[in-house]
Amino acid sequence: MRHRLSPDHYATGVLTGNRLVLSQAITLIESRRPDDQVLAQQVLERILPKTGESIRIGITGVPGVGKSAFIESFGTYLTSLNHTLAVLTIDPTSQRSGGSLLGDKTRMEMLSMNPNAYIRPSPAGDSLGGVTHRTRETMLLCEAAGFDVILVETVGVGQSETVVHGMVDFFLLLMLAGAGDELQGMKRGIMELADALAITKADGDNQASAKRARVEYQNALHLFPPTGNGWFAPVLTCSAITGVGVNDIWQTIREHQEITTQNGYHLRRRQEQQLTWFRSLVRQRLEGQFYNQPNVRSQLAEIEEQVRAGTLLPTPAVEMLLSQSSDSL
Ligand code: GDP
């Protein structure tokens, strides 16, 4: 990005809902240039008082479960209720060179033309930690720009579900009827994180199997220990094609918001998330600083080779590497 504005210009543009400036501010956040990063922090500082008011929803599910179709339908429904929404994606597959599960095709065509929706894919070529950090900051910018619903979508592979769960108020897991849990790559842990499950494609011939799956998953969820937040994750069915069930999902999210706001869990969850974010930034920063030291860099390959060969045990190897560090870590 060649042309840069002053922090006040970015902040004012974002706060007045100027899409172009919002996109530029997000690009600034995604930039790795040190001067851009300083500028980005100055912008964030200015908009911070106007953040935190949206409902933050995470959506996950395996490829093909119908995430983009659901978001089209759900997002369009929300805008019909006069909500404005931003859709952000965390795509672990775009971080590797092998291409992207979420980004390859044109997704959410209708929603991308909707004036009350804003879609921003995750930046490619970054580590999951880096993307997570940037998505959180992007979410703040979108909130300051006035979007009152933020959807963070991720494909159900790898660690990204946990990461998304760590930045939203409500975590929705989309599931296919008739496919085994293994087939859906769903670890029990992910189901435990969900605030609701929705069986997708509950239309036409699929309706009966969607209903069966609903009962099965509801029974499975009953076996999980209660989370202590006064909420029991329901299982719903929906169809992005007919739109049936999409409004129930929104009702469920509203209900969850109400209950958890009243019992204080909503605030606690956000406070915990801020703290976790801070801690992971400290970790990333320390790690970066450590590995960037010339002494550490020059010794690392050699030490790792010895560890691989079994001639050096990991514990003394760590001591050896740390003793190379000029900082007294
Ligand atoms: P994603 O990979 O999770 O984003 O899944 P997509 O939204 O791309 O959907 C995968 C396939 O399922 C596409 O061929 C869609 O047309 C189909 N699909 C998605 N939602 C529905 C639905 O509600 N009903 C039916 N019958 N098909 C759907």
Side-chain angles (χ1 to χ4, degrees):
M1 196 170 59
R2 307 206 160 264
H3 180 66
R4 283 176 189 74
L5 308 170
S6 74
D8 283 334
H9 271 95
Y10 280 113
T12 310
V14 169
L15 291 170
T16 54
N18 182 324
R19 294 287 176 94
L20 183 64
V21 178
L22 173 64
S23 296
Q24 289 169 339
I26 297 174
T27 305
L28 194 67
I29 276 176
E30 290 168 357
S31 165
R32 285 151 177 267
R33 288 180 43 153
D35 54 342
D36 282 347
Q37 289 176 4
V38 172
L39 189 53
Q41 291 310 313
Q42 290 167 343
V43 176
L44 286 169
E45 237 169 65
R46 284 167 174 73
I47 57 100
L48 190 65
K50 301 285 181 207
T51 63
E53 296 300 320
S54 73
I55 298 190
R56 302 168 178 174
I57 304 166
I59 295 181
T60 194
V62 294
V65 72
K67 288 180 297 302
S68 60
F70 172 77
I71 293 173
E72 278 257 70
S73 165
F74 185 63
T76 307
Y77 172 70
L78 290 183
T79 59
S80 79
L81 301 177
N82 287 328
H83 288 289
T84 53
L85 94 153
V87 181
L88 313 177
T89 52
I90 292 193
D91 184 354
T93 50
S94 79
Q95 271 84 72
R96 300 183 214 113
S97 50
S100 155
L101 280 175
L102 289 176
D104 282 349
K105 49 197 166 144
T106 311
R107 309 174 81 240
M108 304 170 219
E109 269 175 71
M110 249 162 59
L111 204 57
S112 61
M113 290 185 296
N114 187 321
N116 292 318
Y118 177 78
I119 301 177
R120 179 88 182 190
S122 79
D126 206 342
S127 68
L128 186 55
V131 172
T132 311
H133 173 57
R134 280 171 249 285
T135 305
R136 283 175 179 278
E137 291 185 338
T138 299
M139 178 156 79
L140 297 180
L141 285 178
C142 291
E143 287 182 343
F147 294 100
D148 66 350
V149 180
I150 313 278
L151 295 186
V152 187
E153 176 200 17
T154 193
V155 68
V157 297
Q159 291 298 307
S160 61
E161 306 99 320
T162 322
V163 155
V164 170
H165 177 262
M167 64 173 79
V168 296
D169 305 320
F170 190 95
F171 191 58
L172 177 66
L173 174 59
L174 301 183
M175 304 280 272
L176 286 168
D181 290 352
E182 314 78 47
L183 211 128
Q184 309 205 37
M186 283 303 158
K187 289 147 260 146
R188 183 195 145 109
I190 303 301
M191 271 174 75
E192 259 173 320
L193 291 179
D195 295 297
L197 262 59
I199 316 291
T200 55
K201 310 187 192 184
D203 45 49
D205 293 344
N206 286 333
Q207 283 183 72
S209 60
K211 274 192 189 133
R212 270 199 308 279
R214 177 184 185 165
V215 174
E216 277 166 25
Y217 282 119
Q218 194 75 73
N219 289 339
L221 285 181
H222 278 315
L223 302 175
F224 290 166
T227 51
N229 61 7
W231 179 257
F232 297 91
V235 185
L236 305 150
T237 57
C238 66
S239 164
I241 288 179
T242 64
V244 173
V246 169
N247 57 342
D248 294 334
I249 293 177
W250 178 236
Q251 275 316 313
T252 302
I253 295 171
R254 294 277 308 267
E255 232 171 86
H256 176 268
Q257 189 85 352
E258 209 169 289
I259 291 175
T260 56
T261 302
Q262 269 169 20
N263 69 15
Y265 178 77
H266 177 73
L267 183 64
R268 272 210 310 284
R269 183 160 167 173
R270 283 203 176 177
Q271 287 173 338
E272 283 303 315
Q273 290 174 344
Q274 306 262 76
L275 207 56
T276 311
W277 181 12
F278 165 73
R279 287 175 181 158
S280 88
L281 267 184
V282 170
R283 237 182 351 259
Q284 277 176 37
R285 182 70 178 268
L286 281 178
E287 227 180 77
Q289 268 176 15
F290 177 73
Y291 285 112
N292 273 329
Q293 295 176 77
N295 280 353
V296 172
R297 282 164 79 150
S298 64
Q299 293 293 311
L300 186 62
E302 163 78 27
I303 293 178
E304 284 193 344
E305 192 42 51
Q306 292 182 43
V307 171
R308 184 181 301 135
T311 51
L312 183 62
L313 281 169
T315 304
V318 170
E319 291 304 326
M320 198 183 277
L321 194 62
L322 285 174
S323 71
Q324 301 296 326
S325 162
S326 51
D327 293 347
S328 47
L329 282 173

